[in-house]
PDB file of all heavy atoms in Angstrom:
ATOM      1  N   ALA A 170     -85.794  18.393  30.521  1.00  0.00           N
ATOM      2  CA  ALA A 170     -85.158  18.559  31.808  1.00  0.00           C
ATOM      3  C   ALA A 170     -85.337  17.242  32.602  1.00  0.00           C
ATOM      4  O   ALA A 170     -84.420  16.809  33.294  1.00  0.00           O
ATOM      5  CB  ALA A 170     -85.691  19.788  32.591  1.00  0.00           C
ATOM      6  N   LEU A 171     -86.532  16.649  32.485  1.00  0.00           N
ATOM      7  CA  LEU A 171     -86.850  15.430  33.155  1.00  0.00           C
ATOM      8  C   LEU A 171     -85.889  14.273  32.664  1.00  0.00           C
ATOM      9  O   LEU A 171     -85.325  13.570  33.499  1.00  0.00           O
ATOM     10  CB  LEU A 171     -88.288  15.050  32.945  1.00  0.00           C
ATOM     11  CG  LEU A 171     -88.716  13.682  33.467  1.00  0.00           C
ATOM     12  CD1 LEU A 171     -88.500  13.601  35.035  1.00  0.00           C
ATOM     13  CD2 LEU A 171     -90.089  13.291  33.064  1.00  0.00           C
ATOM     14  N   LEU A 172     -85.737  14.203  31.343  1.00  0.00           N
ATOM     15  CA  LEU A 172     -84.905  13.171  30.736  1.00  0.00           C
ATOM     16  C   LEU A 172     -83.469  13.453  31.197  1.00  0.00           C
ATOM     17  O   LEU A 172     -82.784  12.439  31.593  1.00  0.00           O
ATOM     18  CB  LEU A 172     -85.082  13.230  29.283  1.00  0.00           C
ATOM     19  CG  LEU A 172     -84.349  12.044  28.539  1.00  0.00           C
ATOM     20  CD1 LEU A 172     -84.986  10.705  28.864  1.00  0.00           C
ATOM     21  CD2 LEU A 172     -84.374  12.281  26.973  1.00  0.00           C
ATOM     22  N   ARG A 173     -82.989  14.597  31.213  1.00  0.00           N
ATOM     23  CA  ARG A 173     -81.594  14.941  31.628  1.00  0.00           C
ATOM     24  C   ARG A 173     -81.428  14.465  33.061  1.00  0.00           C
ATOM     25  O   ARG A 173     -80.388  13.852  33.441  1.00  0.00           O
ATOM     26  CB  ARG A 173     -81.379  16.454  31.594  1.00  0.00           C
ATOM     27  CG  ARG A 173     -80.876  16.977  30.244  1.00  0.00           C
ATOM     28  CD  ARG A 173     -80.658  18.461  30.524  1.00  0.00           C
ATOM     29  NE  ARG A 173     -80.299  19.149  29.264  1.00  0.00           N
ATOM     30  CZ  ARG A 173     -79.081  19.189  28.736  1.00  0.00           C
ATOM     31  NH1 ARG A 173     -78.044  18.691  29.312  1.00  0.00           N
ATOM     32  NH2 ARG A 173     -78.889  19.909  27.593  1.00  0.00           N
ATOM     33  N   SER A 174     -82.411  14.749  33.910  1.00  0.00           N
ATOM     34  CA  SER A 174     -82.323  14.363  35.314  1.00  0.00           C
ATOM     35  C   SER A 174     -82.230  12.847  35.451  1.00  0.00           C
ATOM     36  O   SER A 174     -81.495  12.357  36.270  1.00  0.00           O
ATOM     37  CB  SER A 174     -83.519  14.942  36.030  1.00  0.00           C
ATOM     38  OG  SER A 174     -83.579  14.504  37.376  1.00  0.00           O
ATOM     39  N   LEU A 175     -83.100  12.155  34.631  1.00  0.00           N
ATOM     40  CA  LEU A 175     -83.047  10.726  34.720  1.00  0.00           C
ATOM     41  C   LEU A 175     -81.682  10.059  34.294  1.00  0.00           C
ATOM     42  O   LEU A 175     -81.302   9.144  34.880  1.00  0.00           O
ATOM     43  CB  LEU A 175     -84.149  10.120  33.831  1.00  0.00           C
ATOM     44  CG  LEU A 175     -85.538  10.126  34.390  1.00  0.00           C
ATOM     45  CD1 LEU A 175     -86.524   9.585  33.313  1.00  0.00           C
ATOM     46  CD2 LEU A 175     -85.654   9.210  35.617  1.00  0.00           C
ATOM     47  N   LEU A 176     -81.152  10.693  33.256  1.00  0.00           N
ATOM     48  CA  LEU A 176     -80.022  10.039  32.547  1.00  0.00           C
ATOM     49  C   LEU A 176     -78.606  10.602  32.990  1.00  0.00           C
ATOM     50  O   LEU A 176     -77.612  10.119  32.519  1.00  0.00           O
ATOM     51  CB  LEU A 176     -80.102  10.286  31.066  1.00  0.00           C
ATOM     52  CG  LEU A 176     -81.278   9.643  30.375  1.00  0.00           C
ATOM     53  CD1 LEU A 176     -81.314  10.083  28.912  1.00  0.00           C
ATOM     54  CD2 LEU A 176     -81.323   8.132  30.479  1.00  0.00           C
ATOM     55  N   HIS A 177     -78.626  11.542  33.977  1.00  0.00           N
ATOM     56  CA  HIS A 177     -77.339  12.220  34.295  1.00  0.00           C
ATOM     57  C   HIS A 177     -76.243  11.232  34.745  1.00  0.00           C
ATOM     58  O   HIS A 177     -75.088  11.590  34.529  1.00  0.00           O
ATOM     59  CB  HIS A 177     -77.519  13.434  35.221  1.00  0.00           C
ATOM     60  CG  HIS A 177     -77.737  12.973  36.650  1.00  0.00           C
ATOM     61  ND1 HIS A 177     -78.907  12.475  37.090  1.00  0.00           N
ATOM     62  CD2 HIS A 177     -76.880  12.924  37.749  1.00  0.00           C
ATOM     63  CE1 HIS A 177     -78.825  12.199  38.433  1.00  0.00           C
ATOM     64  NE2 HIS A 177     -77.561  12.436  38.793  1.00  0.00           N
ATOM     65  N   ARG A 178     -76.614  10.095  35.306  1.00  0.00           N
ATOM     66  CA  ARG A 178     -75.607   9.173  35.805  1.00  0.00           C
ATOM     67  C   ARG A 178     -75.075   8.224  34.579  1.00  0.00           C
ATOM     68  O   ARG A 178     -74.190   7.447  34.820  1.00  0.00           O
ATOM     69  CB  ARG A 178     -76.150   8.265  36.833  1.00  0.00           C
ATOM     70  CG  ARG A 178     -76.513   8.982  38.144  1.00  0.00           C
ATOM     71  CD  ARG A 178     -75.231   9.477  38.871  1.00  0.00           C
ATOM     72  NE  ARG A 178     -75.456  10.056  40.173  1.00  0.00           N
ATOM     73  CZ  ARG A 178     -75.465   9.445  41.301  1.00  0.00           C
ATOM     74  NH1 ARG A 178     -75.148   8.092  41.294  1.00  0.00           N
ATOM     75  NH2 ARG A 178     -75.733  10.022  42.467  1.00  0.00           N
ATOM     76  N   CYS A 179     -75.676   8.380  33.453  1.00  0.00           N
ATOM     77  CA  CYS A 179     -75.295   7.576  32.326  1.00  0.00           C
ATOM     78  C   CYS A 179     -74.042   8.049  31.597  1.00  0.00           C
ATOM     79  O   CYS A 179     -73.496   7.329  30.794  1.00  0.00           O
ATOM     80  CB  CYS A 179     -76.447   7.419  31.267  1.00  0.00           C
ATOM     81  SG  CYS A 179     -77.880   6.499  31.931  1.00  0.00           S
ATOM     82  N   GLY A 180     -73.698   9.361  31.859  1.00  0.00           N
ATOM     83  CA  GLY A 180     -72.570   9.954  31.168  1.00  0.00           C
ATOM     84  C   GLY A 180     -72.941  11.368  30.740  1.00  0.00           C
ATOM     85  O   GLY A 180     -73.735  12.065  31.464  1.00  0.00           O
ATOM     86  N   LEU A 181     -72.381  11.781  29.636  1.00  0.00           N
ATOM     87  CA  LEU A 181     -72.644  13.179  29.156  1.00  0.00           C
ATOM     88  C   LEU A 181     -74.011  13.144  28.451  1.00  0.00           C
ATOM     89  O   LEU A 181     -74.211  12.299  27.567  1.00  0.00           O
ATOM     90  CB  LEU A 181     -71.563  13.567  28.084  1.00  0.00           C
ATOM     91  CG  LEU A 181     -71.740  14.850  27.350  1.00  0.00           C
ATOM     92  CD1 LEU A 181     -71.439  16.067  28.326  1.00  0.00           C
ATOM     93  CD2 LEU A 181     -70.771  14.973  26.208  1.00  0.00           C
ATOM     94  N   VAL A 182     -74.926  14.063  28.807  1.00  0.00           N
ATOM     95  CA  VAL A 182     -76.271  14.116  28.244  1.00  0.00           C
ATOM     96  C   VAL A 182     -76.432  15.519  27.618  1.00  0.00           C
ATOM     97  O   VAL A 182     -76.363  16.524  28.309  1.00  0.00           O
ATOM     98  CB  VAL A 182     -77.339  13.843  29.227  1.00  0.00           C
ATOM     99  CG1 VAL A 182     -78.729  13.788  28.539  1.00  0.00           C
ATOM    100  CG2 VAL A 182     -77.105  12.554  29.985  1.00  0.00           C
ATOM    101  N   GLU A 183     -76.675  15.611  26.313  1.00  0.00           N
ATOM    102  CA  GLU A 183     -76.868  16.918  25.665  1.00  0.00           C
ATOM    103  C   GLU A 183     -78.116  16.899  24.863  1.00  0.00           C
ATOM    104  O   GLU A 183     -78.564  15.839  24.429  1.00  0.00           O
ATOM    105  CB  GLU A 183     -75.664  17.241  24.744  1.00  0.00           C
ATOM    106  CG  GLU A 183     -74.359  17.306  25.430  1.00  0.00           C
ATOM    107  CD  GLU A 183     -74.194  18.625  26.245  1.00  0.00           C
ATOM    108  OE1 GLU A 183     -75.109  19.487  26.201  1.00  0.00           O
ATOM    109  OE2 GLU A 183     -73.125  18.859  26.847  1.00  0.00           O
ATOM    110  N   GLU A 184     -78.740  18.031  24.657  1.00  0.00           N
ATOM    111  CA  GLU A 184     -79.824  18.252  23.751  1.00  0.00           C
ATOM    112  C   GLU A 184     -79.532  19.010  22.546  1.00  0.00           C
ATOM    113  O   GLU A 184     -78.673  19.944  22.534  1.00  0.00           O
ATOM    114  CB  GLU A 184     -81.032  18.947  24.478  1.00  0.00           C
ATOM    115  CG  GLU A 184     -82.274  19.110  23.613  1.00  0.00           C
ATOM    116  CD  GLU A 184     -83.438  19.784  24.394  1.00  0.00           C
ATOM    117  OE1 GLU A 184     -83.259  20.232  25.552  1.00  0.00           O
ATOM    118  OE2 GLU A 184     -84.435  19.977  23.814  1.00  0.00           O
ATOM    119  N   GLY A 185     -80.060  18.754  21.441  1.00  0.00           N
ATOM    120  CA  GLY A 185     -79.863  19.412  20.211  1.00  0.00           C
ATOM    121  C   GLY A 185     -80.979  19.228  19.183  1.00  0.00           C
ATOM    122  O   GLY A 185     -81.888  18.469  19.440  1.00  0.00           O
ATOM    123  N   PRO A 186     -80.901  19.837  18.020  1.00  0.00           N
ATOM    124  CA  PRO A 186     -81.872  19.621  16.948  1.00  0.00           C
ATOM    125  C   PRO A 186     -81.724  18.203  16.414  1.00  0.00           C
ATOM    126  O   PRO A 186     -80.692  17.619  16.500  1.00  0.00           O
ATOM    127  CB  PRO A 186     -81.492  20.687  15.876  1.00  0.00           C
ATOM    128  CG  PRO A 186     -80.116  21.058  16.168  1.00  0.00           C
ATOM    129  CD  PRO A 186     -79.894  20.858  17.678  1.00  0.00           C
ATOM    130  N   GLU A 187     -82.822  17.690  15.866  1.00  0.00           N
ATOM    131  CA  GLU A 187     -82.836  16.317  15.342  1.00  0.00           C
ATOM    132  C   GLU A 187     -81.798  16.080  14.297  1.00  0.00           C
ATOM    133  O   GLU A 187     -81.198  14.984  14.212  1.00  0.00           O
ATOM    134  CB  GLU A 187     -84.178  15.992  14.833  1.00  0.00           C
ATOM    135  CG  GLU A 187     -84.315  14.438  14.501  1.00  0.00           C
ATOM    136  CD  GLU A 187     -85.661  13.978  14.016  1.00  0.00           C
ATOM    137  OE1 GLU A 187     -86.505  14.848  13.614  1.00  0.00           O
ATOM    138  OE2 GLU A 187     -85.888  12.803  14.074  1.00  0.00           O
ATOM    139  N   THR A 188     -81.482  17.150  13.494  1.00  0.00           N
ATOM    140  CA  THR A 188     -80.425  16.984  12.471  1.00  0.00           C
ATOM    141  C   THR A 188     -79.046  16.608  13.010  1.00  0.00           C
ATOM    142  O   THR A 188     -78.193  16.072  12.283  1.00  0.00           O
ATOM    143  CB  THR A 188     -80.247  18.293  11.684  1.00  0.00           C
ATOM    144  OG1 THR A 188     -80.032  19.391  12.600  1.00  0.00           O
ATOM    145  CG2 THR A 188     -81.492  18.586  10.828  1.00  0.00           C
ATOM    146  N   TRP A 189     -78.890  16.846  14.352  1.00  0.00           N
ATOM    147  CA  TRP A 189     -77.530  16.473  14.955  1.00  0.00           C
ATOM    148  C   TRP A 189     -77.474  14.995  15.300  1.00  0.00           C
ATOM    149  O   TRP A 189     -76.414  14.459  15.568  1.00  0.00           O
ATOM    150  CB  TRP A 189     -77.236  17.302  16.184  1.00  0.00           C
ATOM    151  CG  TRP A 189     -77.016  18.766  15.874  1.00  0.00           C
ATOM    152  CD1 TRP A 189     -76.936  19.377  14.690  1.00  0.00           C
ATOM    153  CD2 TRP A 189     -76.691  19.734  16.860  1.00  0.00           C
ATOM    154  NE1 TRP A 189     -76.675  20.677  14.830  1.00  0.00           N
ATOM    155  CE2 TRP A 189     -76.562  21.026  16.212  1.00  0.00           C
ATOM    156  CE3 TRP A 189     -76.636  19.821  18.226  1.00  0.00           C
ATOM    157  CZ2 TRP A 189     -76.230  22.185  16.804  1.00  0.00           C
ATOM    158  CZ3 TRP A 189     -76.296  20.978  18.878  1.00  0.00           C
ATOM    159  CH2 TRP A 189     -76.147  22.131  18.182  1.00  0.00           C
ATOM    160  N   ILE A 190     -78.620  14.320  15.386  1.00  0.00           N
ATOM    161  CA  ILE A 190     -78.720  13.001  15.923  1.00  0.00           C
ATOM    162  C   ILE A 190     -77.926  12.079  15.049  1.00  0.00           C
ATOM    163  O   ILE A 190     -77.162  11.207  15.514  1.00  0.00           O
ATOM    164  CB  ILE A 190     -80.212  12.483  16.093  1.00  0.00           C
ATOM    165  CG1 ILE A 190     -80.927  13.284  17.140  1.00  0.00           C
ATOM    166  CG2 ILE A 190     -80.179  10.999  16.415  1.00  0.00           C
ATOM    167  CD1 ILE A 190     -80.721  12.880  18.536  1.00  0.00           C
TER     168      ILE A 190
END
Side-chain angles (χ1 to χ4, degrees):
L171 173 64
L172 187 63
R173 274 183 188 273
S174 176
L175 279 177
L176 298 176
H177 76 281
R178 294 291 185 93
C179 293
L181 177 72
V182 185
E183 297 286 359
E184 180 178 1
E187 188 176 19
T188 50
W189 291 0
I190 295 277

